[in-house]
Amino acid sequence: MRQKRIFIVLIALVFMVGCANVNVEKKASYITTAYQTLSTAATVYETGLKALADLYGKGIINDEDKAKALKYGNQFWTVCHTSVNALSIYKQYETPDNQNRLDKALDALTEALSTFNEFIYPLLEKGLEK
Amino acid sequence: MTGAEIALILALLELFMKYGVPAGMEIYNQWSGEHPEPTLADIEALKLRVLKPETYFEDKS
């Protein structure tokens, strides 16, 4: 059981460590860091949904699980696109207001990804047990 | 080691190889080394990459 949990939280840990380190020594630009954060969140989202879709195709998760996956996935999709828009605007007009909007969008993104991950982990565990 | 444990490890390996390694490598590449600041086109491309969740289930019904 412990091994499973290690695997299941792996991607989330990589995401958190990656965000925390933020190229400390190289002082990557705010735009680069925001882009990397978005890109990493997208990878976690894609990987999670591909895994769930496979489990659904094999009959390991049911229609109810799929409906919830779509619900949480759509929540993430919405905030992700909002964040991309905010980054795109900030890239063009680097103002404090636009940075503030981007910060808020990235906070919402992190929260949506966390909710999405909390939902998919038990389902992935179910897949490992089969 | 019991048969169930072996089966679990094999299932874990299968899932890890299928999803964990590619995703892990992709995330590692996103953060390792120096990266030039993304262009506007790079940023906009993220929108095309993050698909609606329904898309992933399309051929699985």
Side-chain angles (χ1 to χ4, degrees):
Chain A
M1 185 61 89
R2 215 172 72 183
Q3 287 171 318
K4 284 192 297 180
R5 289 201 180 278
I6 289 169
F7 163 71
I8 286 167
V9 299
L10 178 68
I11 291 174
L13 283 177
V14 170
F15 178 70
M16 286 186 286
V17 169
C19 293
N21 282 332
V22 189
N23 295 345
V24 174
E25 289 176 10
K26 293 179 177 115
K27 296 275 182 197
S29 78
Y30 179 80
I31 290 173
T32 304
T33 303
Y35 176 79
Q36 286 171 313
T37 301
L38 273 166
S39 191
T40 300
T43 303
V44 173
Y45 166 82
E46 281 176 330
T47 305
L49 275 177
K50 280 178 189 168
L52 288 186
D54 270 7
L55 294 179
Y56 180 73
K58 289 174 185 170
I60 295 171
I61 64 170
N62 57 30
D63 286 335
E64 192 182 337
D65 295 326
K66 178 188 167 185
K68 285 182 185 168
L70 295 180
K71 176 187 160 193
Y72 293 118
N74 271 310
Q75 283 174 1
F76 175 84
W77 184 90
T78 302
V79 292
C80 187
H81 279 244
T82 303
S83 301
V84 173
N85 283 333
L87 178 58
S88 179
I89 291 168
Y90 181 71
K91 170 80 178 169
Q92 297 171 78
Y93 312 103
E94 290 191 29
T95 67
D97 275 355
N98 286 340
Q99 182 168 351
N100 191 35
R101 281 192 197 96
L102 178 55
D103 281 340
K104 284 182 181 166
L106 290 175
D107 283 347
L109 177 88
T110 306
E111 198 177 321
L113 186 65
S114 173
T115 305
F116 177 74
N117 283 344
E118 278 172 25
F119 166 70
I120 68 168
Y121 290 163
L123 297 180
L124 294 180
E125 275 190 334
K126 204 190 279 188
L128 286 171
E129 285 161 7
K130 297 281 177 179
Chain B
M1 188 177 283
T2 67
E5 284 171 332
I6 292 169
L8 179 64
I9 289 169
L10 289 176
L12 181 71
L13 278 174
E14 185 191 345
L15 206 58
F16 186 82
M17 290 303 289
K18 196 165 182 182
Y19 301 109
V21 171
M25 284 305 294
E26 198 173 324
I27 291 170
Y28 175 80
N29 289 334
Q30 283 160 5
W31 289 95
S32 64
E34 285 186 69
H35 293 273
E37 189 166 294
T39 62
L40 201 53
D42 292 332
I43 294 167
E44 291 294 325
L46 280 173
K47 284 185 201 167
L48 300 175
R49 184 177 150 200
V50 179
L51 304 173
K52 292 283 280 180
E54 293 85 354
T55 315
Y56 298 92
F57 288 89
E58 272 172 4
D59 59 345
K60 303 289 182 184
S61 301

